[in-house]
Amino acid sequence: MNSRRTKSVFAAVSALAVLALGATACASSDKASTDTGSQNASAANPGGGEKIKVVASTDVWGSVVTAVGGDKVEVTSIIHDPSADPHSYETTASDAIAAKNAKLTLSNGGGYDDFFSKLADQATGAQKLVAVDIAATGNENEHVWYSLPGVEKIADQVAAKLGEIQPASKDAFTANATAFKGKTQELLKKVSGLGGSGAKVVATEPVAHYLLDSAKVTDATPPAFAEAVEAEQDVPAAALNEVKQLISGKQVKALVNNAQTTTPVTQQVVGDAKNAGIAVVDVTETLPQGVTDYIAWMTKEVDALAGALK
């Protein structure tokens, strides 16, 4: 994601301000949850005791923690706005307060949410999980939330860490993770083989790489095009022309478009695809507005890809 996108701008907070506000952490914890998109506002735990405070870098990972932790966790997702950019996000005082009170943190890693490392350092007594490290895909692509097998591993690790923090609820966390993985397995069955007939696509960015891989769909995007977009550089004319020819010649079944990216080049190729009658499959990096459930979100993404590949 880059500076040319239509993103919300966040105010930076100085280190002195964060340190000064640290003393008021307890009094301000409710405000932090509101400001940063807490998945569960109440700290009361129906099962007894306080809820486990968890801080996730994005609402995608926050939704996974919520699925595993259920009503025994209070999740604060730092990035919870579809227009926010994890690459350039500046942390706030309330973010620091939430991190300081956390018992567990979950970040994406892989250079995707570098802002979170400073917050995790403030969570001195917290268990810390990094999705990219757990998913262990063996690929440099950091968008591991589209790797369903990887997300299953992350759910297991979340359950294990929550169980260490609250041993009395260990079995509940394990059961929740098992139920969550049952749903991801259903999605894997649905997506597997969608590209079995040799289907090809082009993409504005390799965000959905792992989903396409599970579907056995060939990403025909010229490397020079993908590399230029990822590096926030101008796309070479030859690479752009190659993409346009793949679309105009209907050599691909769909254009997979990162809907959270808006550049002249992406707008151009999306327009070309629509004019050529090529399906445009929009994917995102965070949960769409009004969506809080990972499985519901990913089901819509899989269904959209399946429809485009018919």
Side-chain angles (χ1 to χ4, degrees):
M1 299 172 79
N2 55 56
S3 60
R4 291 174 291 183
R5 301 174 186 183
T6 53
K7 299 293 181 183
S8 298
V9 178
F10 294 83
V13 177
S14 68
L16 284 176
V18 172
L19 288 172
L21 285 166
T24 62
C26 293
S28 306
S29 60
D30 289 341
K31 181 178 184 298
S33 295
T34 301
D35 289 348
T36 57
S38 174
Q39 303 288 335
N40 296 290
S42 172
N45 184 353
E50 290 189 354
K51 290 188 176 185
I52 302 170
K53 295 183 185 298
V54 183
V55 175
S57 63
T58 73
D59 56 7
V60 172
W61 297 121
S63 69
V64 173
V65 175
T66 299
V68 175
D71 59 13
K72 301 181 185 302
V73 295
E74 179 185 343
V75 183
T76 297
S77 298
I78 303 300
I79 301 290
H80 58 94
D81 183 340
S83 65
D85 186 349
H87 290 287
S88 60
Y89 181 75
E90 296 286 350
T91 58
T92 68
S94 55
D95 294 340
I97 292 168
K100 183 177 180 180
N101 293 329
K103 296 300 182 183
L104 174 68
T105 67
L106 174 57
S107 61
N108 190 83
Y112 182 75
D113 47 8
D114 286 341
F115 75 88
F116 198 78
S117 60
K118 297 177 182 178
L119 289 177
D121 288 343
Q122 297 180 56
T124 54
Q127 301 273 14
K128 296 166 187 174
L129 297 175
V130 180
V132 166
D133 295 342
I134 300 167
T137 61
N139 190 295
E140 293 182 359
N141 189 303
E142 71 270 26
H143 307 109
V144 292
W145 58 89
Y146 275 108
S147 168
L148 293 170
V151 171
E152 290 179 354
K153 295 178 184 178
I154 293 158
D156 279 338
Q157 282 298 306
V158 169
K161 293 301 182 183
L162 290 176
E164 291 177 14
I165 296 167
Q166 194 176 97
S169 302
K170 180 179 179 179
D171 289 345
F173 298 140
T174 299
N176 289 345
T178 298
F180 177 82
K181 290 187 297 179
K183 295 175 182 177
T184 59
Q185 282 296 309
E186 291 176 6
L187 281 174
L188 271 173
K189 290 178 182 178
K190 183 183 290 188
V191 77
S192 295
L194 285 179
S197 58
K200 296 180 181 180
V201 301
V202 288
T204 57
E205 284 192 86
V207 173
H209 164 80
Y210 296 109
L211 190 63
L212 296 176
D213 190 54
S214 292
K216 293 181 171 54
V217 172
T218 299
D219 185 349
T221 309
F225 182 98
E227 290 166 8
V229 172
E230 284 282 278
E232 301 180 16
Q233 298 173 350
D234 291 335
V235 176
L240 178 56
N241 286 335
E242 187 175 347
V243 169
K244 291 170 71 69
Q245 288 171 11
L246 287 168
I247 292 172
S248 63
K250 297 190 175 182
Q251 299 176 51
V252 293
K253 296 281 288 185
L255 168 67
V256 181
N257 175 53
N258 181 357
Q260 288 177 246
T261 300
T262 303
T263 72
V265 168
T266 61
Q267 289 178 321
Q268 184 177 1
V269 296
V270 167
D272 289 345
K274 291 179 178 179
N275 290 336
I278 298 294
V280 176
V281 179
D282 285 334
V283 295
T284 59
E285 300 185 41
T286 54
L287 298 180
Q289 195 69 42
V291 177
T292 60
D293 180 79
Y294 174 87
I295 297 297
W297 171 50
M298 202 53 52
T299 297
K300 289 183 67 176
E301 303 281 51
V302 169
D303 287 346
L305 181 62
L309 296 176
K310 285 183 179 178

